[in-house]
Amino acid sequence: MSTLIGKQGRRFRDLVINRRAVSASTTALNTDYMIAVTDTTAARTVSLPAVATIPSGKSFVIKDESGAAGTNAITIDPSGSETIHGAATALVNTNWGSMTLVSNGTSWLII
């Protein structure tokens, strides 16, 4: 059993994140935290929900668990005209790479 010490000395036991493994393009769900792309034998896309449909501060981690995103990138695509740091899309294009995004209520930021 692991114990993490949080803000103000509070203890968190057995912190578990919601990881969803996908082997094809997908849309992030409001219940997701980590989206693990397990197959990049072809390019994949992770579409993000509209920021208006999720709470400000919601974050997603997109992770290449196949180890081949350097060959077939994972495109992260925000909803409609929304942006990621001002860009139309973002890429995970390094083997075993990942990207963490957070909503600020109007767009997506990379952290």
Side-chain angles (χ1 to χ4, degrees), residues 14-83:
D14 299 317
L15 178 65
V16 177
I17 63 169
N18 188 7
R19 174 190 170 272
R20 181 167 59 103
V22 298
S23 59
S25 294
T26 191
T27 298
L29 306 173
N30 290 353
T31 55
D32 289 335
Y33 173 71
M34 179 181 174
I35 299 171
V37 181
T38 60
D39 180 352
T40 53
T41 54
R44 304 294 184 211
T45 299
V46 175
S47 300
L48 299 175
V51 292
T53 66
I54 60 169
S56 181
K58 170 66 177 163
S59 61
F60 292 107
V61 176
I62 314 300
K63 171 69 177 163
D64 169 26
E65 284 194 1
S66 74
T71 302
N72 292 306
I74 302 165
T75 300
I76 304 169
D77 188 16
S79 179
S81 62
E82 294 174 356
T83 61

